[in-house]
Structures are given as C-alpha cells and as structure tokens.
C-alpha cells in the first residue's frame, strides 16, 4: 500500500467513525433514509466493557510523544485487545501475547513488562451508547495522529496498515453489522406498512 492510499483509507475510517457516532447520538440517518431508535440496538455489557478498555488504552497512548513509539504502542495494544476480546479469560493465551511484545523502557513512554491494554474494570455499570461514542472519539484522534505522522517508510506503513486492519475487524465491523441488521429490519417494516397502506382496498 502506498502512502497516498493509506491516507485515503484513514480519511474513510474517520468518516465511518463519525457516522457511527451520529447514529448512536440519534442524529444520523441510515444512508439518508431513516433514523434508528437507539432502543432497538442490543444492550451488550461485555462489548461496552471492551470499548471502555479500548478507549482508555488509546487515551493513555496519546501521551507518547514521538510517532514511531505511538505507532508501535498502538500496534501492540491492539494485538492485546484482540486476544482480550477473543480469550479474555484465557490467562495463558494473554501471557503468550505478553511475551511476544516486550516493551523497551525509554523516550517512547512505553515501559518494559507493562501491559498496554488497560484492563482495569469500570467501577460502575457502563452505558453502551455513551461508552461507544467516547471510544469513537479516541479512535478518531488515533487516526488523526496517524495521519499527521505518516512517513514514506515501508516498515511504518506496514505497521499502520496492520493497525487499521485490526481496528476495522475488531471494533468497527461489529458495530456496522448491528446498524445494518437493525436498519434492515426497520426498513422492511416501513416498506411493508407503506405497501399495505397503498394497496389496501377502499
């Protein structure tokens, strides 16, 4: 992937994140058609907790001053997050990930033997919508920082591409799938109601 292609991809991701935020703020329309009532989305405490951990972890990494340290940190944290989502109760799997990503103490703000994923539980029940919107804020800031720090370096482009692929797969696709499913059902009901009213015998 070229630097220009990566730039365009990140711009698209930011647009998608803003679309998700508008939808879960009850301000957006599904492809310009209908507004989705928020109560139709499933309340999923487990996913709310995952978005909380992701948002907190990205917020902590924002303090890393140099772009190379930031990119490496996000890459390692997203890998930890992937295992956390898939094997959150499997300590042995998490330990294997930890052993693969030893941190270097130094100016990048990442210390050795420290998890980059903030796994501290929330002290209170999380509201899914507000947690997701806050996480989207951090995802948007992350993509903006990656855009500002882009460099024509093959290794960095590869890392940024890998970060995007994991963020897309783990964080964005499940939400977009929820939006499509709920909107599809809602559109079917609207169309059926409209069809029945149009062709109802008088």
């Amino acid at each position: 992937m070229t630097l220009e292609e990566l730039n365009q991809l990140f711009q698209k991701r930011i647009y998608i994140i803003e679309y998700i935020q508008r939808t879960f703020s009850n301000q957006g329309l599904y492809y310009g058609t209908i507004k989705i009532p928020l109560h139709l989305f499933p309340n999923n405490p487990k996913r709310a907790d995952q978005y909380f951990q992701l948002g907190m972890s990205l917020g902590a990494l924002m303090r890393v001053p140099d772009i190379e340290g930031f990119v490496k940190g996000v890459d390692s944290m997203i890998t930890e997050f992937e295992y956390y989502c898939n094997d959150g109760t499997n300590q042995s799997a998490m330990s294997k990930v930890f052993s693969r990503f030893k941190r270097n103490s130094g100016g990048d703000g990442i210390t050795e033997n420290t998890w980059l994923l903030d796994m501290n539980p929330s002290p209170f029940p999380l509201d899914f919508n507000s947690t997701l919107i806050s996480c989207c804020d951090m995802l948007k800031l992350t993509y903006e920082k990656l855009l500002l720090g882009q460099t024509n370096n093959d290794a960095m482009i590869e890392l940024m591409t890998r970060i995007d692929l994991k963020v897309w797969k783990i964080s964005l696709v499940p939400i977009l799938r929820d939006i499509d499913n709920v909107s599809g059902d809602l559109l079917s009901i609207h169309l059926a109601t409209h069809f029945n009213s149009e062709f109802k015998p008088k």
Side-chain angles (χ1 to χ4, degrees):
M1 181 177 290
T2 67
L3 189 62
E4 182 179 356
E5 290 170 338
L6 190 64
N7 180 69
Q8 293 173 354
L9 177 61
F10 283 5
Q11 293 286 0
K12 289 178 181 177
R13 295 293 191 246
I14 291 172
Y15 175 81
I16 289 171
I17 291 168
E18 291 174 341
Y19 164 69
I20 292 172
Q21 286 185 301
R22 288 194 302 271
T23 300
F24 282 85
S25 300
N26 205 26
Q27 297 175 355
L29 297 176
Y30 180 71
Y31 292 108
T33 56
I34 56 172
K35 182 177 287 189
I36 311 171
L38 295 182
H39 72 270
L40 295 180
F41 290 104
N43 182 26
N44 191 321
K46 180 179 179 181
R47 283 174 64 189
D49 179 69
Q50 291 170 353
Y51 284 115
F52 174 77
Q53 312 296 350
L54 179 59
M56 291 289 290
S57 302
L58 288 172
L61 284 168
M62 285 293 169
R63 297 194 293 268
V64 178
D66 66 289
I67 189 62
E68 184 176 353
F70 176 72
V71 171
K72 289 180 179 178
V74 173
D75 177 55
S76 294
M77 186 276 292
I78 290 293
T79 299
E80 294 172 359
F81 182 68
E82 183 178 29
Y83 273 77
Y84 172 72
C85 292
N86 295 332
D87 297 289
T89 59
N90 188 334
Q91 292 301 315
S92 113
M94 293 292 283
S95 296
K96 288 178 183 177
V97 179
F98 174 69
S99 66
R100 289 173 54 199
F101 292 98
K102 293 293 185 182
R103 319 294 179 245
N104 295 318
S105 55
D108 58 8
I110 302 171
T111 58
E112 187 175 357
N113 297 332
T114 300
W115 285 103
L116 293 181
L117 180 64
D118 186 340
M119 292 186 289
N120 293 318
S122 169
F124 47 81
L126 296 167
D127 175 72
F128 181 83
N129 291 350
S130 59
T131 303
L132 174 62
I133 290 169
S134 296
C135 182
C136 283
D137 281 334
M138 298 314 304
L139 285 170
K140 184 179 174 182
L141 288 172
T142 298
Y143 274 106
E144 288 173 348
K145 187 166 183 174
L146 292 175
L147 276 169
L148 289 173
Q150 283 183 0
T151 176
N152 222 349
N153 177 298
D154 289 343
M156 288 291 285
I157 289 175
E158 182 180 350
L159 273 180
M160 290 184 180
T161 304
R162 185 166 66 195
I163 289 170
D164 171 73
L165 182 62
K166 291 184 177 181
V167 169
W168 171 252
K169 173 186 171 184
I170 304 168
S171 304
L172 300 180
V173 167
I175 292 298
L176 294 173
R177 188 182 297 121
D178 284 349
I179 294 174
D180 286 343
N181 290 339
V182 171
S183 300
D185 292 341
L186 198 58
L187 278 172
S188 296
I189 294 171
H190 279 223
L191 289 173
T193 303
H194 178 74
F195 181 85
N196 290 335
S197 64
E198 284 290 320
F199 294 96
K200 185 177 181 179
K202 298 182 179 179

